[in-house]
């Protein structure tokens, strides 16, 4: 019965509308004194919120309001400019274009110079608006009819008794009434850095400062009372006259008018949910009356004026006065300014003075009038209630007595370290969700975010301001960003009120620094420019661009070692199809090309493959040692979120998975932390408003062993080679041990580097926001690693060199084993004398994964020293060497006799495409087919003297064994190989002594250079 809106819903048969937070609504139906004559809708009508509200409150609608969206797995271009330019909903404005005409009988008494509001025709009334001087008799008839209708309605309800019973139940379940809770709710939270220094107050979108009623000038109090609740000082919480009046008006006119007093509004704004129901309305009225019995009018008004929403992100009169008028002291407000603030309550968006004075421009409409008319109306209410004298009233009607600032004096003041702080706030919200046992839904998140803003919390961050500052400054001032391949690939975002667009500089960059010993995140930087407003795109967290080869250690190599491999395990970096690696047709097996399209090194160890970032080898390792499912599972356990994992061979081995820089830092941190995952910490701890600790990150931190310590140590050890001699040399720091991995996306669409020191793990991404190509020479090594160094070097200034994982390899359960570089099995004499000179590897393996089988691929064969083929009767120099034959069951066996046979012999030697059998005679015959063709008869002619020939042969032998002992990655390896080949050719061709000796001295020099 006391609920006009609820009853109106019955009358109109309307259901519930879209719910929006009431804090933002505050559209108190502006009945005040004149409800009987306020014939038009108090728009905006209904439950839909104007679209433009969302536009101006992007934080309410999520960070992607700027037109950003998280990229899909296969990155799609971001929406470009102009997304929100046309977001206005004209109906909202028209509907709101009503004015409130006070029931003033005649304006004569005011004097002719006083402006009166002009009234637009009513839009949705059934009855015509009342004229100024209604006939008394007509008024009686109309009012009688209204009362009759009211009676009919009440009788049609299921009975007064039932209504009251339900109402009683609602009252019993109403929230506890506590004005202190209302005050408490309004408390600003505080955010501190890792050293406990205050970074910022956190008021979130509710920018609110509490002030005592003593400091709120009477004029401001009166302005609100006059327009919102003229009988405030006399009613008991609800205003029966007003309710009836509002109800009748609503009922007969089909419009929506409220009967809420200031006390009811306070209850609604602070204690109750946004639910639209009888229950809420009844509770609201009940609590309002109860509140009045417990608190004074001043206390209630103080709470109201401190919590009322006044446009933009301003809550309470203190914040609004400062931001609209630049007045820090409320007593400096003019009467007109007081009235302007009070006038906004009804529709803070529509009456927003800044918006109407500066933002909205039109040749035909004077938007200032909207605010000014409303303000004049409030002044009139003040005057009628004798809050101001006629003299004050006249003076206040002058528009010049209020000066609205075009820009808020605080508008550029965003908290420092915005990207870090915002990310940490998300974590704090998650913490509150958990504390309150709420599921992680967007509704609950916004509820908890609201609580964080208003709960007076103290939030302690892991943020290291020094490191954060270094990374921010480096990304902002770095001069060496790669160029875009197409300089016209610009990115704009709709941003400005005047319709202009700001260009977002490209390529963009993001970086994270994390202390992997503790899991504490020290720095998060999500762009090359400092954010100027909240909830802007944080590329370190929200943008999941492919990380390229930087994924290999975490998705391929560490898992491979965990599952049985060692540093000396062999991968086939050959132009041969990899089982399960599908081509574009999705059917045929193929293989990924290496960077630059070459460098198939043949069989190579895991260490070589990771150092040089060979794609073919990574594909082979993924498909033969790990598998797609298990690789994805490792990533999950490393903390990568499932929807960032592109669960395909390509996505896992070559990094088309879009993993964020924060996730990469966490995952690489696991390796540096001995294989133990620790959930990343941005919020170290939280205390409530009484400084009681309610959360301690390290007590509730998730920890799990993802890799054995041996796996972690060995992977980090191999990644040191990436920086010392592989693709990541640009990341070398003076005086620090560094391990890391580069990443370059296909077609240079973004580059990545993840690097570890004894202190921190740092990750950095450079790329185009819309996934466009960087200049063709760009690599993770020459750009991302370089930028990484640019901030990591100063971060390590003054720090001693420190091991990434303390302790000897043996203490991690690693042992050194000599294995065959072709098979990865235990090396034999045959392996040591491989015809191709590949030789053996002596490297670390986890103790329980050391191979137990001797090499099954090399067999000892007598070969001609010149041709490396089976020695014939006439070959002048014969030696026993290791020849590779493929045993049955070997992964490459199936290529014997295929179109790839040539690849086998090219990389593995002349016997590698023989299909050996268990029959010794057959095998002997097969080997015969590979007899040396050079020395087919005794008449082999040579111009060389035998003296030089044997010297040359000796030199060749020594050079070959030197080569066999070298890593193929050695810088002098290729040169030595070619000097050997050249001398062997000269020797075989029977060229003259002078040619022979020249070739010998050439080889001698190459051997010296390779030592
Ligand atoms: Zn071998
Ligand atoms: Zn021969």
């Amino acid at each position: 019965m006391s609920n006009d809106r609820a009853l109106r819903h019955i009358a109109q048969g309307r259901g519930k509308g879209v719910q929006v937070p009431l804090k933002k609504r505050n559209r108190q139906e502006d009945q005040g004194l004149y409800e009987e004559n306020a014939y038009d809708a108090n728009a905006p009508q209904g439950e839909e919120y104007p679209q433009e509200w969302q536009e101006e409150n992007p934080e309410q609608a999520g960070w992607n309001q700027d037109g950003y969206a998280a990229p899909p797995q296969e990155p799609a271009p971001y929406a470009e400019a102009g997304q929100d330019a046309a977001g206005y909903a004209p109906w909202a404005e028209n509907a709101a274009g009503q004015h409130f005409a006070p029931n003033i009988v005649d304006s004569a008494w005011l004097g002719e110079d006083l402006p009166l509001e002009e009234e637009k025709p009513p839009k949705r009334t059934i009855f015509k608006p009342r004229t100024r001087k209604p006939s008394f008799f007509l008024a009686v008839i109309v009012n009688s009819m209204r009362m009759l209708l009211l009676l009919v309605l009440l009788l049609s309800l299921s009975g007064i008794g039932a209504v009251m019973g339900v109402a009683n139940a609602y009252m019993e379940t109403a929230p506890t009434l506590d004005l202190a809770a209302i005050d408490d709710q309004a408390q600003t939270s505080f955010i501190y850095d890792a050293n406990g220094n205050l970074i910022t107050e956190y008021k979130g979108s509710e920018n609110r400062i509490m002030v005592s009623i003593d400091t709120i000038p009477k004029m401001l109090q009166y302005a609100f009372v006059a327009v919102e609740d003229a009988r405030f000082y006399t009613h008991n919480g609800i205003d029966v006259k007003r309710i009836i009046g509002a109800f009748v008006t609503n009922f007969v006119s089909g419009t929506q008018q409220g009967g809420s007093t200031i006390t009811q509004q306070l209850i609604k704004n602070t204690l109750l949910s946004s639910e639209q129901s009888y229950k809420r309305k009844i509770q609201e009225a009940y609590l309002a009356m109860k509140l009045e019995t417990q608190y004074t009018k001043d206390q209630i008004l103080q709470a109201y004026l401190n919590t009322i929403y006044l446009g933009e992100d301003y809550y309470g009169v203190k914040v609004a006065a400062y931001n609209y008028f630049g007045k820090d002291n409320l007593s400096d407000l003019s009467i007109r300014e007081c009235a302007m603030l009070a006038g906004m309550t009804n529709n803070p968006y529509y009456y927003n003075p800044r918006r109407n004075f500066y933002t909205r421009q039109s040749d035909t409409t004077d938007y200032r009038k909207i605010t000014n008319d409303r303000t004049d109306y409030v002044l009139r209410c003040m005057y009628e209630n004798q809050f101001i004298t006629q003299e004050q009233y006249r003076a206040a009607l002058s528009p010049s007595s209020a000066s609205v600032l075009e820009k808020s004096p605080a508008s550029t003041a965003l908290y420092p370290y915005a990207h870090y702080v915002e990310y940490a706030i998300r974590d704090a919200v998650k913490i509150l969700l958990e504390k309150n046992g709420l599921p992680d839904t967007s509704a609950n998140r916004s509820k908890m975010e609201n609580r964080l803003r208003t709960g007076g919390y103290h939030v302690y961050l892991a943020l290291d301001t020094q490191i954060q500052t270094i990374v921010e400054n480096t990304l902002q001032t770095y001069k060496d960003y790669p160029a875009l391949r197409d300089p016209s690939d610009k990115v704009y975002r709709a941003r400005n009120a005047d319709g202009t667009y700001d260009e977002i500089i490209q390529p963009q960059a993001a970086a994270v620094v994390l202390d992997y010993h503790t899991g504490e995140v020290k720095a998060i930087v999500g762009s090359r420019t400092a954010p100027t407003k909240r909830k802007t795109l944080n590329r370190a967290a929200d943008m999941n661009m492919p990380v390229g080869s930087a994924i290999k250690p975490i998705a391929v190599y560490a898992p491979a070692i965990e599952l049985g491999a060692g540093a000396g395990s062999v991968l086939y970096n050959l132009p041969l199809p990899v089982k399960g690696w599908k081509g574009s047709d999705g059917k045929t097996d193929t293989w990924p090309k290496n960077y630059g399209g070459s460098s198939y090194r043949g069989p190579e160890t895991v260490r070589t493959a990771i150092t040089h970032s060979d794609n073919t080898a990574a594909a082979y390792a993924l498909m033969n040692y790990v598998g797609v499912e298990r690789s994805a599972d490792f990533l999950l356990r490393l903390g990568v979120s499932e929807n960032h994992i592109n669960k395909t061979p390509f996505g896992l081995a070559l990094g088309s998975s879009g993993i964020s820089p924060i996730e990469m830092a966490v995952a690489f941190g696991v390796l540096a932390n001995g294989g133990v995952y620790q959930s990343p910490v941005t919020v170290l701890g939280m205390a409530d408003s009484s400084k009681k600790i309610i959360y301690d990150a390290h007590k509730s931190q998730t920890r799990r062993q993802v890799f054995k310590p041996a796996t972690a140590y060995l992977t980090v050890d191999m990644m040191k080679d990436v920086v010392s001699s592989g693709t990541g040399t640009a990341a070398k720091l003076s005086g620090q041990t560094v391990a890391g991995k580069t990443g370059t996306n296909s077609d240079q669409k973004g580059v990545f580097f993840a690097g570890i020191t004894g202190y921190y793990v740092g990750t950095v991404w450079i790329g185009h926001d819309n996934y466009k190509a960087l200049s063709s020479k760009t690599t993770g090594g020459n750009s991302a690693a370089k930028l990484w160094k640019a901030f990591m070097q100063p971060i390590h200034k003054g720090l001693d060199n420190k091991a990434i994982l303390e302790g000897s390899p043996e203490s991690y359960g690693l042992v050194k084993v000599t294995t065959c570089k072709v098979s990865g099995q235990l090396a034999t004499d045959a392996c040591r004398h491989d015809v191709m000179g590949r030789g053996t590897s002596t490297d670390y393996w986890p103790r329980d994964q050391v191979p137990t089988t001797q090499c099954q691929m090399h067999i000892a064969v007598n070969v001609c020293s010149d041709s490396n083929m089976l020695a014939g009767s006439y070959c002048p120099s014969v030696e026993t060497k290791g020849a590779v034959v493929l045993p049955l069951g070997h992964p490459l066996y199936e290529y014997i006799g295929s179109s790839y046979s040539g690849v086998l012999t090219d990389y593995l030697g002349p016997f590698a495409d023989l299909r050996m059998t268990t029959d010794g005679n057959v095998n002997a015959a097969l080997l015969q087919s590979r007899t040396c063709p050079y020395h087919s008869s005794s008449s082999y002619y040579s111009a060389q003297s035998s003296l030089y020939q044997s010297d040359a042969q000796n030199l060749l032998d020594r050079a070959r064994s030197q080569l066999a002992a070298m890593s193929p990655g050695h810088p002098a390896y290729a040169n030595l190989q070619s000097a050997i080949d050249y001398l062997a050719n000269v020797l075989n061709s029977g060229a003259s002594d002078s040619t022979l000796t020249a070739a010998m001295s050439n080889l001698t020099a190459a051997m010296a250079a390779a030592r």
Side-chain angles (χ1 to χ4, degrees):
M1 183 58 206
S2 65
N3 187 325
D4 59 297
R5 190 178 292 198
L7 292 175
R8 191 185 138 267
H9 276 234
I10 296 174
Q12 297 190 317
R14 292 184 56 179
K16 288 182 184 177
V18 175
Q19 301 298 321
V20 296
L22 269 176
K23 288 245 165 60
K24 290 283 183 186
R25 304 179 65 165
N26 275 327
R27 286 175 280 114
Q28 305 314 327
E29 276 62 27
D30 191 21
Q31 296 313 293
L33 307 171
Y34 312 109
E35 58 268 17
E36 287 199 339
N37 208 34
Y39 51 83
D40 199 0
N42 288 295
Q45 289 277 350
E47 277 63 49
E48 301 83 355
Y49 221 76
Q51 264 171 268
E52 60 252 65
W53 176 84
Q54 292 196 346
E55 185 187 33
E56 286 201 353
N57 294 271
E59 70 274 17
Q60 290 297 316
W63 57 269
N64 60 358
Q65 279 293 301
D66 279 353
Y68 293 95
Q73 295 289 11
E74 200 60 50
Y78 291 113
E80 297 209 8
Q83 292 285 320
D84 56 356
Y88 285 90
W91 64 266
E93 227 151 77
N94 291 340
Q98 48 77 36
H99 301 282
F100 298 90
N103 186 15
I104 291 169
V105 174
D106 198 316
S107 64
W109 59 281
L110 292 169
E112 289 170 5
D113 56 330
L114 292 178
L116 271 179
E117 295 194 280
E118 211 167 315
E119 295 175 6
K120 289 181 182 174
K123 294 216 156 43
R124 301 192 211 175
T125 54
I126 296 168
F127 293 86
K128 286 193 171 178
R130 215 174 246 208
T131 53
R132 289 231 170 88
K133 287 184 179 175
S135 140
F136 173 75
F137 296 105
L138 186 62
V140 169
I141 290 164
V142 167
N143 277 329
S144 302
M145 283 184 64
R146 283 177 175 179
M147 291 311 288
L148 196 66
L149 282 166
L150 174 62
L151 201 62
V152 169
L153 179 83
L154 286 177
L155 290 174
S156 72
L157 292 173
S158 56
I160 303 291
V163 169
M164 291 313 289
V166 171
N168 264 333
Y170 289 165
M171 289 171 197
E172 278 159 20
T173 58
T176 319
L177 189 63
D178 183 4
L179 205 55
I182 295 173
D183 282 351
D184 193 41
Q185 181 173 352
Q187 280 185 38
T188 291
S189 291
F190 300 90
I191 297 179
Y192 307 87
D193 68 15
N195 295 320
N197 300 317
L198 182 68
I199 300 169
T200 181
E201 294 181 349
Y202 183 54
K203 295 174 261 193
S205 69
E206 289 198 23
N207 190 354
R208 184 202 313 266
I209 300 171
M210 303 293 283
V211 282
S212 138
I213 193 79
D214 309 331
T215 64
I216 302 175
K218 281 289 177 199
M219 281 307 162
L220 188 55
Q221 301 180 30
Y222 291 155
F224 278 89
V225 168
V227 72
E228 287 296 319
D229 185 5
R231 286 183 287 275
F232 172 68
Y233 290 107
T234 55
H235 65 59
N236 67 341
I238 59 169
D239 186 345
V240 180
K241 265 192 203 173
R242 178 187 169 115
I243 291 165
I244 292 172
F247 165 66
V248 171
T249 312
N250 287 346
F251 182 67
V252 301
S253 67
T255 60
Q256 189 164 348
Q257 299 184 347
S260 290
T261 64
I262 279 179
T263 319
Q264 284 172 292
Q265 291 180 34
L266 175 63
I267 297 285
K268 185 169 84 171
N269 295 345
T270 55
L271 287 184
L272 295 173
S273 70
S274 57
E275 189 190 358
Q276 285 283 350
S277 66
Y278 314 117
K279 179 177 168 180
R280 192 186 64 71
K281 292 297 277 183
I282 290 168
Q283 285 182 343
E284 179 189 302
Y286 164 72
L287 290 172
M289 289 192 283
K290 210 171 154 197
L291 192 72
E292 293 270 352
T293 65
Q294 292 175 12
Y295 296 97
T296 66
K297 291 284 182 185
D298 270 356
Q299 285 174 313
I300 291 167
L301 191 59
Q302 173 181 306
Y304 176 79
L305 293 175
N306 278 318
T307 51
I308 189 75
Y309 174 55
L310 291 169
E312 318 234 336
D313 66 342
Y314 312 146
Y315 285 78
V317 291
K318 172 82 175 174
V319 169
Y322 177 66
N323 284 286
Y324 287 122
F325 308 116
K327 295 196 172 162
D328 203 26
N329 197 344
L330 289 175
S331 57
D332 294 341
L333 289 172
S334 70
I335 293 177
R336 186 171 183 81
E337 287 164 349
C338 291
M340 202 175 274
L341 290 178
M344 291 177 67
T345 315
N346 177 257
N347 186 341
Y349 181 77
Y350 182 65
Y351 293 121
N352 181 332
R354 178 169 302 129
R355 179 166 171 268
N356 287 333
F357 279 40
Y358 301 107
T359 311
R360 305 174 82 193
Q361 303 285 340
S362 158
D363 293 336
T364 51
T365 312
D366 179 9
Y367 291 105
R368 288 170 178 246
K369 196 171 181 308
I370 294 170
T371 294
N372 279 332
D373 286 354
R374 176 69 181 165
T375 304
D376 291 348
Y377 167 68
V378 177
L379 289 168
R380 182 172 291 190
C381 295
M382 292 174 78
Y383 173 60
E384 287 205 336
N385 284 280
Q386 301 178 8
F387 290 140
I388 52 174
T389 65
Q390 186 171 352
E391 203 175 309
Q392 285 174 315
Y393 176 48
R394 283 165 180 276
L397 284 174
S398 160
S400 65
S401 69
S403 51
V404 179
L405 300 179
E406 184 168 1
K407 283 206 168 99
S408 159
S411 63
T412 53
L414 188 70
Y415 32 62
Y417 322 118
H419 275 154
Y420 191 107
V421 170
E422 293 202 324
Y423 185 82
I425 284 166
R426 290 189 225 173
D427 280 350
V429 165
K430 281 186 208 151
I431 291 162
L432 288 178
L433 281 174
E434 241 163 68
K435 286 248 161 254
N436 290 281
L438 295 170
D440 188 357
T441 64
S442 64
N444 286 336
R445 274 199 302 275
S446 85
K447 206 165 166 186
M448 289 304 104
E449 195 179 321
N450 189 45
R451 188 171 294 182
L452 186 66
R453 287 179 198 127
T454 54
Y457 290 101
H458 299 268
V459 184
Y460 299 89
L461 305 187
L463 164 62
D464 183 317
T465 53
Q466 263 187 315
I467 295 179
Q468 176 80 15
T469 304
I470 289 171
V471 183
E472 279 182 11
N473 289 347
T474 307
L475 263 61
Q476 284 169 23
T477 60
Y478 189 64
K479 296 276 180 273
D480 214 7
Y481 284 106
L484 299 179
R485 190 171 306 166
D486 180 352
S488 70
D489 283 336
K490 295 185 188 306
V491 176
Y492 297 93
R493 303 279 184 241
R495 267 208 180 167
N496 305 326
D498 60 3
T500 58
Y501 300 123
D502 288 345
E503 185 181 345
I504 310 286
I505 191 165
Q506 302 293 332
Q508 269 293 343
V512 172
V513 177
L514 180 146
D515 179 349
Y516 54 82
H517 305 96
T518 59
E520 293 174 12
V521 182
K522 295 295 165 191
I524 299 173
V525 179
S527 61
R528 282 177 63 181
T529 46
T532 53
K533 59 185 199 174
R534 288 175 181 161
K535 311 238 175 182
T536 52
L537 180 67
N538 183 345
R539 292 167 186 80
D542 304 322
M543 200 146 158
N544 308 305
M545 286 296 194
V547 296
S549 298
I551 202 175
K552 288 172 183 168
I554 54 173
V556 179
Y557 293 121
I561 290 165
E562 185 73 7
L563 295 168
S569 288
V570 169
L571 308 170
Y572 295 104
N573 180 7
L574 295 170
L576 287 178
V578 175
K579 268 256 177 305
W581 192 277
K582 300 299 177 196
S584 51
D585 63 358
K587 287 175 192 155
T588 322
D589 285 338
T590 176
W591 68 95
K593 308 286 174 285
N594 287 319
Y595 178 73
S598 62
S599 71
Y600 297 110
R601 269 177 257 272
E604 66 185 10
T605 61
V606 165
R607 185 182 290 272
T608 302
I610 193 170
T611 305
H612 298 287
S613 198
D614 293 327
N615 289 340
T616 317
Y620 184 87
L622 176 73
M623 302 313 286
N624 290 278
Y625 285 80
V626 186
V628 167
E629 288 294 328
R630 286 195 292 191
S631 170
D633 191 54
F634 274 110
L635 289 181
L636 283 178
R637 303 204 310 133
L638 288 167
V640 177
S641 72
E642 189 166 14
N643 54 6
H644 294 170
I645 301 171
N646 178 5
K647 216 166 145 184
T648 63
F650 192 76
L652 293 165
L654 303 186
S656 66
S657 291
I659 305 177
S660 75
I662 290 181
E663 287 174 322
M664 287 293 278
V666 172
F668 274 72
V670 173
L671 294 172
N673 192 40
V676 179
Y677 167 87
Q678 301 189 92
S679 51
V681 172
T682 58
V683 177
L684 280 175
M686 280 173 77
D688 64 16
S689 56
S690 61
K691 295 239 174 169
K692 189 180 140 239
I693 302 220
I694 57 163
Y695 173 78
D696 179 342
H698 289 301
K699 280 187 183 157
S700 54
Q701 196 172 15
T702 304
R703 292 189 181 84
R704 59 178 168 256
Q705 190 88 42
V706 181
F707 297 118
K708 290 174 282 200
T711 303
Y713 186 97
L714 189 50
T715 310
V716 168
D717 187 60
M718 293 189 298
M719 286 198 291
K720 286 186 205 164
D721 287 6
V722 174
V723 176
S724 63
S725 63
T727 55
T729 52
K732 280 183 193 168
L733 300 182
S734 61
Q736 291 295 337
T737 303
V738 180
K741 186 71 193 78
T742 54
T744 310
N745 282 326
S746 355
D747 199 31
Q748 282 75 38
K749 289 175 177 172
V751 289
F752 204 96
F753 187 74
I756 306 166
T757 70
Y759 298 90
Y760 303 109
V761 53
T763 54
V764 59
W765 166 85
I766 304 172
H768 190 280
D769 279 352
N770 290 341
Y771 200 58
K772 305 277 187 187
L774 303 172
S775 90
S776 61
K777 292 194 179 84
T778 312
T779 64
N782 67 20
S783 57
K786 217 163 156 184
L787 176 57
W788 184 91
K789 178 181 180 163
F791 61 78
M792 287 302 258
Q793 188 76 70
I795 286 170
H796 288 79
K797 192 178 174 196
L799 297 178
D800 293 335
N801 189 12
K802 194 174 163 197
I804 295 170
L805 283 159
E806 306 278 357
S808 66
E810 290 72 23
S811 69
Y812 285 83
L814 293 164
V815 288
K816 261 194 172 170
V817 184
T818 301
T819 49
C820 170
K821 272 188 168 178
V822 179
S823 69
Q825 294 166 322
L826 292 175
T828 63
D829 268 357
C831 307
R832 281 181 246 280
H833 297 97
D834 177 52
V835 286
M836 303 295 283
R838 298 200 180 276
T840 60
S841 147
T842 301
D843 209 331
Y844 288 105
W845 291 69
R847 189 177 287 122
D848 52 359
Q849 292 167 201
V850 170
T852 52
T853 316
Q854 296 217 316
C855 179
Q856 303 290 299
M857 293 176 75
H858 278 108
I859 56 168
V861 180
N862 288 331
V863 297
C864 166
S865 304
D866 298 337
S867 65
N868 271 335
M869 299 183 75
L870 193 71
S873 326
Y874 303 106
C875 292
S877 170
V878 177
E879 43 189 336
T880 306
K881 282 200 174 175
V884 171
V885 294
L886 293 169
L888 194 65
H890 190 277
L892 302 184
Y893 190 87
E894 63 178 287
Y895 300 115
I896 295 172
S898 77
S899 58
Y900 295 108
S901 270
V903 175
L904 297 179
T905 50
D906 283 354
Y907 289 90
L908 299 174
F911 308 98
D913 66 337
L914 297 178
R915 204 185 291 274
M916 304 302 271
T917 71
T918 49
D919 186 329
N921 291 328
V922 176
N923 286 346
L926 285 170
L927 290 175
Q928 289 295 326
S929 69
R930 300 293 148 87
T931 301
C932 172
Y934 296 173
H935 312 108
S936 51
S937 75
S938 57
S939 61
Y940 176 63
Y941 169 76
S942 174
Q944 299 155 352
S945 62
S946 58
L947 179 67
Y948 286 126
Q949 280 184 34
S950 77
D951 281 350
Q953 194 57 57
N954 284 339
L955 186 62
L956 270 178
D957 290 348
R958 280 193 287 129
R960 282 181 175 137
S961 60
Q962 185 181 344
L963 187 74
M966 283 169 67
S967 153
H970 192 289
Y973 186 93
N975 191 41
L976 182 56
Q977 172 88 68
S978 91
I980 289 170
D981 293 347
Y982 177 64
L983 178 57
N985 273 333
V986 169
L987 192 59
N988 286 336
S989 67
S992 67
D993 276 350
S994 62
T995 311
L996 186 65
T997 50
M1000 287 165 72
S1001 73
N1002 176 48
L1003 179 56
T1004 312
M1007 289 166 73
R1011 252 174 223 123

